[in-house]
Short mmCIF file of all heavy atoms in Angstrom, two decimals:
data_model
loop_
_atom_site.label_atom_id
_atom_site.label_comp_id
_atom_site.label_asym_id
_atom_site.label_seq_id
_atom_site.Cartn_x
_atom_site.Cartn_y
_atom_site.Cartn_z
N GLN A 90 103.26 116.05 76.72
CA GLN A 90 104.18 116.04 77.85
C GLN A 90 103.51 115.44 79.10
O GLN A 90 104.13 114.69 79.84
CB GLN A 90 104.66 117.47 78.15
CG GLN A 90 105.57 118.03 77.07
CD GLN A 90 105.85 119.52 77.26
OE1 GLN A 90 105.14 120.21 78.00
NE2 GLN A 90 106.89 120.01 76.60
N LEU A 91 102.24 115.80 79.29
CA LEU A 91 101.49 115.27 80.43
C LEU A 91 101.38 113.75 80.33
O LEU A 91 101.53 113.02 81.32
CB LEU A 91 100.10 115.90 80.49
CG LEU A 91 99.28 115.63 81.76
CD1 LEU A 91 99.88 116.37 82.94
CD2 LEU A 91 97.83 116.05 81.56
N ILE A 92 101.14 113.25 79.13
CA ILE A 92 101.03 111.80 78.92
C ILE A 92 102.36 111.12 79.23
O ILE A 92 102.39 110.05 79.84
CB ILE A 92 100.57 111.50 77.47
CG1 ILE A 92 99.11 111.97 77.30
CG2 ILE A 92 100.71 110.02 77.16
CD1 ILE A 92 98.62 111.89 75.86
N TRP A 93 103.47 111.75 78.84
CA TRP A 93 104.78 111.16 79.11
C TRP A 93 105.05 111.09 80.62
O TRP A 93 105.63 110.12 81.11
CB TRP A 93 105.88 111.94 78.42
CG TRP A 93 106.09 111.52 77.00
CD1 TRP A 93 105.82 112.23 75.87
CD2 TRP A 93 106.60 110.26 76.55
NE1 TRP A 93 106.13 111.50 74.75
CE2 TRP A 93 106.62 110.28 75.13
CE3 TRP A 93 107.04 109.11 77.21
CZ2 TRP A 93 107.07 109.19 74.38
CZ3 TRP A 93 107.49 108.02 76.45
CH2 TRP A 93 107.50 108.07 75.05
N ILE A 94 104.64 112.11 81.36
CA ILE A 94 104.80 112.07 82.81
C ILE A 94 103.96 110.95 83.40
O ILE A 94 104.39 110.22 84.30
CB ILE A 94 104.41 113.43 83.44
CG1 ILE A 94 105.31 114.54 82.91
CG2 ILE A 94 104.54 113.35 84.97
CD1 ILE A 94 104.88 115.93 83.35
N PHE A 95 102.74 110.80 82.86
CA PHE A 95 101.87 109.72 83.33
C PHE A 95 102.48 108.35 83.02
O PHE A 95 102.40 107.43 83.85
CB PHE A 95 100.49 109.83 82.67
CG PHE A 95 99.58 108.67 82.98
CD1 PHE A 95 99.11 108.48 84.27
CD2 PHE A 95 99.22 107.77 81.99
CE1 PHE A 95 98.28 107.41 84.57
CE2 PHE A 95 98.39 106.70 82.28
CZ PHE A 95 97.92 106.51 83.57
N VAL A 96 103.10 108.20 81.86
CA VAL A 96 103.77 106.94 81.50
C VAL A 96 104.88 106.65 82.51
O VAL A 96 105.05 105.51 82.96
CB VAL A 96 104.33 107.01 80.07
CG1 VAL A 96 105.26 105.82 79.79
CG2 VAL A 96 103.19 107.02 79.05
N LEU A 97 105.64 107.67 82.88
CA LEU A 97 106.70 107.50 83.88
C LEU A 97 106.13 107.06 85.22
O LEU A 97 106.64 106.12 85.84
CB LEU A 97 107.48 108.81 84.05
CG LEU A 97 108.52 108.85 85.17
CD1 LEU A 97 109.60 107.79 84.93
CD2 LEU A 97 109.14 110.23 85.28
N MET A 98 105.04 107.69 85.65
CA MET A 98 104.41 107.30 86.91
C MET A 98 103.88 105.88 86.85
O MET A 98 103.99 105.12 87.82
CB MET A 98 103.27 108.28 87.25
CG MET A 98 103.75 109.69 87.54
SD MET A 98 102.38 110.83 87.90
CE MET A 98 101.83 110.22 89.51
N THR A 99 103.32 105.50 85.72
CA THR A 99 102.81 104.13 85.56
C THR A 99 103.94 103.13 85.62
O THR A 99 103.81 102.05 86.22
CB THR A 99 102.05 104.00 84.22
OG1 THR A 99 100.99 104.97 84.19
CG2 THR A 99 101.48 102.61 84.07
N ALA A 100 105.08 103.48 85.00
CA ALA A 100 106.25 102.58 85.03
C ALA A 100 106.74 102.39 86.46
O ALA A 100 107.11 101.27 86.86
CB ALA A 100 107.36 103.16 84.16
N VAL A 101 106.74 103.46 87.23
CA VAL A 101 107.14 103.36 88.65
C VAL A 101 106.21 102.41 89.39
O VAL A 101 106.65 101.54 90.16
CB VAL A 101 107.12 104.76 89.31
CG1 VAL A 101 107.30 104.63 90.82
CG2 VAL A 101 108.22 105.64 88.72
N GLN A 102 104.91 102.53 89.15
CA GLN A 102 103.94 101.69 89.86
C GLN A 102 104.02 100.23 89.40
O GLN A 102 103.84 99.32 90.21
CB GLN A 102 102.53 102.23 89.64
CG GLN A 102 102.34 103.62 90.21
CD GLN A 102 100.96 103.86 90.77
OE1 GLN A 102 100.56 103.25 91.76
NE2 GLN A 102 100.22 104.74 90.12
N ILE A 103 104.28 100.00 88.12
CA ILE A 103 104.45 98.62 87.63
C ILE A 103 105.66 97.98 88.31
O ILE A 103 105.62 96.82 88.76
CB ILE A 103 104.59 98.60 86.10
CG1 ILE A 103 103.26 98.97 85.45
CG2 ILE A 103 105.07 97.23 85.61
CD1 ILE A 103 103.34 99.15 83.95
N PHE A 104 106.77 98.72 88.38
CA PHE A 104 107.97 98.22 89.05
C PHE A 104 107.70 97.97 90.52
O PHE A 104 108.12 96.95 91.08
CB PHE A 104 109.11 99.25 88.89
CG PHE A 104 110.38 98.85 89.59
CD1 PHE A 104 111.08 97.72 89.22
CD2 PHE A 104 110.87 99.63 90.64
CE1 PHE A 104 112.26 97.35 89.88
CE2 PHE A 104 112.03 99.28 91.29
CZ PHE A 104 112.72 98.14 90.91
N TRP A 105 106.94 98.87 91.14
CA TRP A 105 106.55 98.75 92.54
C TRP A 105 105.73 97.47 92.76
O TRP A 105 105.99 96.70 93.68
CB TRP A 105 105.74 99.98 92.91
CG TRP A 105 105.45 100.18 94.36
CD1 TRP A 105 105.75 99.35 95.40
CD2 TRP A 105 104.78 101.32 94.93
NE1 TRP A 105 105.31 99.89 96.58
CE2 TRP A 105 104.72 101.08 96.32
CE3 TRP A 105 104.24 102.47 94.40
CZ2 TRP A 105 104.12 102.01 97.18
CZ3 TRP A 105 103.65 103.36 95.27
CH2 TRP A 105 103.60 103.13 96.64
N GLN A 106 104.74 97.25 91.90
CA GLN A 106 103.91 96.05 92.02
C GLN A 106 104.73 94.78 91.79
O GLN A 106 104.47 93.74 92.41
CB GLN A 106 102.76 96.11 91.00
CG GLN A 106 101.71 97.17 91.31
CD GLN A 106 101.02 96.92 92.63
OE1 GLN A 106 100.78 95.79 93.02
NE2 GLN A 106 100.69 98.00 93.34
N TRP A 107 105.72 94.86 90.90
CA TRP A 107 106.59 93.71 90.66
C TRP A 107 107.39 93.38 91.93
O TRP A 107 107.52 92.21 92.30
CB TRP A 107 107.54 94.00 89.51
CG TRP A 107 108.48 92.86 89.22
CD1 TRP A 107 108.22 91.73 88.50
CD2 TRP A 107 109.84 92.74 89.66
NE1 TRP A 107 109.33 90.91 88.47
CE2 TRP A 107 110.34 91.51 89.17
CE3 TRP A 107 110.69 93.55 90.41
CZ2 TRP A 107 111.65 91.09 89.40
CZ3 TRP A 107 111.99 93.13 90.64
CH2 TRP A 107 112.45 91.90 90.15
N LEU A 108 107.91 94.39 92.61
CA LEU A 108 108.65 94.18 93.85
C LEU A 108 107.75 93.55 94.92
O LEU A 108 108.19 92.68 95.67
CB LEU A 108 109.21 95.51 94.37
CG LEU A 108 110.32 96.15 93.54
CD1 LEU A 108 110.69 97.51 94.13
CD2 LEU A 108 111.56 95.26 93.48
N ILE A 109 106.47 93.98 94.95
CA ILE A 109 105.52 93.41 95.91
C ILE A 109 105.22 91.96 95.56
O ILE A 109 105.16 91.08 96.43
CB ILE A 109 104.23 94.25 95.95
CG1 ILE A 109 104.52 95.63 96.55
CG2 ILE A 109 103.14 93.54 96.75
CD1 ILE A 109 103.36 96.60 96.45
N SER A 110 105.04 91.68 94.26
CA SER A 110 104.72 90.31 93.83
C SER A 110 105.87 89.35 94.11
O SER A 110 105.65 88.15 94.33
CB SER A 110 104.39 90.29 92.33
OG SER A 110 105.54 90.56 91.54
N LYS A 111 107.09 89.86 94.13
CA LYS A 111 108.26 89.03 94.42
C LYS A 111 108.59 89.01 95.92
O LYS A 111 109.61 88.45 96.32
CB LYS A 111 109.48 89.56 93.65
CG LYS A 111 109.34 89.49 92.13
CD LYS A 111 109.17 88.06 91.65
CE LYS A 111 109.06 87.99 90.13
NZ LYS A 111 108.87 86.61 89.64
N HIS A 112 107.70 89.63 96.71
CA HIS A 112 107.84 89.67 98.17
C HIS A 112 109.11 90.39 98.62
O HIS A 112 109.62 90.15 99.71
CB HIS A 112 107.82 88.26 98.76
CG HIS A 112 106.60 87.48 98.36
ND1 HIS A 112 105.33 87.79 98.79
CD2 HIS A 112 106.45 86.42 97.51
CE1 HIS A 112 104.46 86.95 98.27
NE2 HIS A 112 105.09 86.11 97.48
N ILE A 113 109.60 91.28 97.75
CA ILE A 113 110.72 92.14 98.14
C ILE A 113 110.20 93.28 98.98
O ILE A 113 110.85 93.72 99.94
CB ILE A 113 111.45 92.66 96.88
CG1 ILE A 113 112.02 91.47 96.08
CG2 ILE A 113 112.56 93.64 97.26
CD1 ILE A 113 112.59 91.87 94.74
N LEU A 114 109.01 93.78 98.62
CA LEU A 114 108.31 94.79 99.41
C LEU A 114 106.94 94.25 99.79
O LEU A 114 106.41 93.36 99.14
CB LEU A 114 108.14 96.09 98.60
CG LEU A 114 109.41 96.85 98.20
CD1 LEU A 114 109.03 98.07 97.37
CD2 LEU A 114 110.21 97.27 99.42
#
Side-chain angles (χ1 to χ4, degrees):
Q90 291 170 344
L91 190 70
I92 291 172
W93 275 111
I94 299 173
F95 174 67
V96 169
L97 173 61
M98 293 179 70
T99 303
V101 170
Q102 297 215 67
I103 290 173
F104 177 64
W105 190 356
Q106 291 298 325
W107 179 81
L108 291 175
I109 292 171
S110 69
K111 297 299 182 181
H112 305 292
I113 298 172
L114 296 178

